[in-house]
Amino acid sequence: MAERMVGKQAPDFTMEAVLPDKSFGKVSLEDIKSQDKWTVLFFYPMDFTFVCPTEITAMSDRYDEFEDLDAEVIGVSTDTIHTHLAWINTDRTQNGLGELKYPLAADTNHQVSKEYGVLIEEEGIALRGLFIINPEGELKYQTVFDNNIGRDVDETLRVLQALQTGGLCPANWRPGQATL
């Protein structure tokens, strides 16, 4: 039986990653929390696929908006940092990513994907999962869905802003509107 995650401390992680300057480094939830920032952690199935680059580049193209909201974005798959770098070095017109403004992390041992409940064990890949974690490390939002559907960056930003109000946000709430 699945266990509830929202409202609990998010599973801690440290992963190797390709950083925005294309160097190899590490990303960790602890580092982001120490900066008093929100974390937008999203999982995708595989590098060099068809839906993934559309959402990864859409998140990068809107990264400044996440940054304005004191949020760090991290993309994660079970591929290696070397595969990530090859994909980043492939031009967008060739189904690549081109430049990214946030890190792509490598969950090669599948531990983080498993802890966040998105691992398809028999395939060794992750479902499309998105998690928003507050600066105290509490998981405030999660969504997991079929790998054939890309995420909506507008909705991710809307939910992040709603969570940051600290208020009750009705259906169809938009930034700037009153909370309940």
Side-chain angles (χ1 to χ4, degrees), residues 164-177:
Q164 289 179 344
T165 69
L168 302 173
C169 297
N172 301 318
W173 177 89
R174 294 282 178 244
Q177 294 178 337

Side-chain angles (χ1 to χ4, degrees), residues 5-27:
M5 292 180 65
V6 172
K8 295 183 176 183
Q9 283 297 116
D12 200 17
F13 61 81
T14 299
M15 292 178 279
E16 290 187 353
V18 178
L19 304 176
D21 67 0
K22 298 184 182 181
S23 67
F24 295 140
K26 291 192 184 283
V27 292

Side-chain angles (χ1 to χ4, degrees), residues 9-116:
Q9 283 297 116
D12 200 17
F13 61 81
T14 299
M15 292 178 279
E16 290 187 353
V18 178
L19 304 176
D21 67 0
K22 298 184 182 181
S23 67
F24 295 140
K26 291 192 184 283
V27 292
S28 76
L29 182 57
E30 198 58 44
D31 286 346
I32 298 169
K33 287 178 0 184
S34 73
Q35 297 172 48
D36 201 33
K37 291 187 175 190
W38 290 73
T39 304
V40 176
L41 179 69
F42 74 93
F43 294 83
Y44 65 94
M46 284 187 284
D47 294 351
F48 292 100
T49 55
F50 298 101
V51 176
C52 297
T54 65
E55 62 182 1
I56 292 169
T57 58
M59 294 282 265
S60 184
D61 292 346
R62 308 272 306 271
Y63 179 76
D64 293 346
E65 293 173 66
F66 288 99
E67 195 172 45
D68 289 346
L69 295 169
D70 289 323
E72 289 293 333
V73 176
I74 301 172
V76 182
S77 81
T78 57
D79 293 299
T80 69
I81 54 175
H82 302 287
T83 305
H84 288 344
L85 183 58
W87 201 23
I88 290 167
N89 284 331
T90 303
D91 191 80
R92 288 185 181 189
T93 61
Q94 303 293 313
N95 199 37
L97 300 177
E99 240 178 83
L100 289 184
K101 294 183 179 177
Y102 60 86
L104 280 189
D107 182 27
T108 55
N109 67 5
H110 305 175
Q111 188 62 40
V112 180
S113 299
K114 188 179 295 185
E115 288 177 353
Y116 278 82

Side-chain angles (χ1 to χ4, degrees), residues 114-129:
K114 188 179 295 185
E115 288 177 353
Y116 278 82
V118 296
L119 182 64
I120 305 171
E121 291 194 43
E122 58 275 12
E123 296 179 39
I125 62 172
L127 288 165
R128 290 189 198 285

